[in-house]
Structures are given as C-alpha cells and as structure tokens.
C-alpha cells in the first residue's frame, strides 16, 4: 500500500487532500462573495457540495499527516471501502456541481444578462475551482479504488 | 471473469449496454424533436455526448451478444484497459451533460421563460434519460474496472 504515491497515508495523498480543500474553499469563496447565489438552484447545489468536500478533505489530510509523521499502518479493508465510497460519491457530486455552475453561468452571460460582468466572472471562477477540486478528488478515488483489492 | 454478472461478454453486460443505447437514443430524440437546442451550449454538448455514447454502447452490445452466443474467451488485459478508459470518459461526460441540461432547463423554466411548457418538459425528459444512461454506464465501468486486476 505504501508503494503507490497517492494511497491513503502517503505524502502524495496529503498533497491531493490539501489541494482539494484549497480549491473547494476558493470555489465557495468566489460563490459566496455576494448573497445572490441562493436564487439559483445550481449555485446552491455547488455551495452545499463544496461545504461537504472541505471537511471531508481536511479530515483525511489530517489522517495522512498523522500517518506520514508517525508511520502508522494502512487502514483495514472495511475502513478503506467506506472511504472509497465517500470519495467517489463526493467526486461525482463535485463534477455535477461544477458542470451545473458552468452551464448556468454561460446562460446568464449569453442569454439573459441577469448578472453583471464582475458577478459572472466570479461564478465562472467558482465553477473552475470546483472543476479543479473534482480532478484532484478523482485522482484520490481512483488510486484508492485501485489499491482496494490488494489490501 | 465469467463469474461476475456485468463483466464484458456476459448477458448482464449485454443488458447494460442495450439499456445505455436505449436511454441515450431517447435523450437524443427528446432533445432533437425541435431545432432550437443549438442555441444553448449545454444542449449541444448533450447531443454530442449522446451521439458518442450510442455507437460505443451498440458496439459493445454486439461484442457481448457474440460472446454470449459463441462462448468466446474474455479479451486481454490491454484491450480491457482501453475499453475501461473509454467507458469512464464517456461516463463522466454523460454525467456532465445530464447535469448541465438539468440546470439550464431549471434556469429556463424559473428565470427566463424562454421556452414553452412543452419544450421545457422535453428538455427535462432528455436530461433524465441522459442521467439514466449515465447510471448504467457507471455500472459497466465499475464492474470492468473491478475485474481488471484479476485479468
């Protein structure tokens, strides 16, 4: 388990988790700079999902940091299964939220002119950050799923 | 490989592939009943992705049908890797297209009133069919990925 970089408990995994937390926080920050987002279902969905991804990623960043410093053994098969299912669900939800935000922003800019240039660019940045968070989350999930049969 | 239902070459996989093809075709049908979809990026994206999913699913439905009838051995590791990567990419793209369609339709209904009731319900049905196609595609991808290390 310790051979593949990115598996739970390695420093690569710690980097991935910190990256997820940073990008999710940035996404939430750009979306919540004003209070107009709650008028749109897609933006509320993004805020909810990013609010779930941040504590999840930070928790496993702490677990990874603890494992790296104190050289703890890798977790059992059952625990890893739960972590992998959680990772996959959050990864799909992040992708869904990023795509919804991107397409709603596109409609707002090109069809309805309901948002100012500054607001629209914030929504775009928020969607882009959510997409980057999804990419890192996907990497964590794939590596952990790949390692599950060998545990 | 033949033990798990849903692996390439089994009748369960044939059912999954046919389901994907049927739902993708239905999604494309509901979206293309009128010619207004090309004004929206998200709807064009859905049409493109469903146009890719249909031939992909039908090809592997044929491979599965051939394997079921003539009892052919399972494909090699390299071939399976290519199939799994294709499955995963199409699965993510289907989810992205379904979510984009759903959120754009929501905006069109609640904020802009740019589409009639009949048109909006067609867009909603199209998004729902794309979502069902994604679910079946995810099942195929997960089962094949799970079996890859044992090949």
């Amino acid at each position: 388990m310790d051979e593949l970089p990115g598996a739970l408990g390695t420093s690569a995994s710690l980097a991935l988790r910190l990256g997820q937390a940073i990008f999710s926080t940035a996404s939430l920050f750009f979306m919540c700079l004003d209070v107009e987002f709650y008028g749109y279902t897609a933006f509320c969905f993004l805020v909810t999902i990013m609010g779930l991804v941040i504590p999840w990623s930070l928790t496993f960043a702490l677990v990874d940091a603890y494992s790296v410093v104190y050289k703890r053994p890798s977790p059992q098969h059952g625990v890893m299964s739960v972590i992998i299912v959680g990772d996959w669900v959050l990864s799909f939800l992040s992708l869904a939220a990023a795509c919804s935000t991107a397409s709603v922003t596109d409609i707002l800019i090109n069809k309805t002119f309901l948002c100012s240039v500054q607001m629209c660019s914030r929504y775009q940045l928020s969607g882009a950050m959510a997409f980057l968070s999804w990419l890192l989350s996907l990497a964590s999930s794939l590596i952990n799923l790949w390692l599950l049969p060998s545990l």
Side-chain angles (χ1 to χ4, degrees), chain A:
Chain A
M1 174 116 182
D2 296 289
E3 293 147 23
L4 193 75
L8 194 78
T10 61
S11 49
S13 173
L14 175 62
L16 282 174
R17 297 292 180 184
L18 284 179
Q20 290 162 29
I22 290 167
F23 284 126
S24 313
T25 313
S27 173
L28 201 61
F29 174 75
F30 284 120
M31 188 55 82
C32 295
L33 266 184
D34 56 81
V35 289
E36 285 180 32
F37 73 84
Y38 63 78
Y40 302 94
T41 316
F43 296 162
C44 293
F45 180 52
L46 182 86
V47 169
T48 313
I49 301 305
M50 291 300 119
L52 286 172
V53 169
I54 295 169
W56 177 269
S57 301
L58 284 179
T59 306
F60 290 107
L62 284 177
V63 171
D64 286 336
Y66 190 79
S67 299
V68 167
V69 174
Y70 294 100
K71 310 277 178 209
R72 283 202 51 205
S74 56
Q76 290 176 332
H77 195 278
V79 180
M80 273 303 282
S81 306
V82 174
I83 296 172
I84 289 168
V85 169
D87 258 345
W88 274 106
V89 170
L90 279 181
S91 158
F92 282 120
L93 289 174
S94 300
L95 175 65
C99 291
S100 303
T101 305
S103 45
V104 167
T105 309
D106 177 66
I107 286 285
L108 288 182
I109 294 174
N110 293 320
K111 295 277 172 191
T112 64
F113 313 104
L114 277 175
C115 64
S116 65
V117 173
Q118 200 193 1
M119 299 283 275
C120 278
S121 55
R122 277 185 200 161
Y123 294 151
Q124 281 177 320
L125 270 173
S126 179
M129 294 293 135
F131 189 78
L132 289 175
S133 163
W134 166 69
L135 275 183
L136 296 182
S137 176
L138 178 70
S140 287
S141 327
L142 270 180
I143 293 166
N144 285 327
L145 183 67
W146 186 256
L147 286 171
L148 188 61
S150 67
L151 279 184

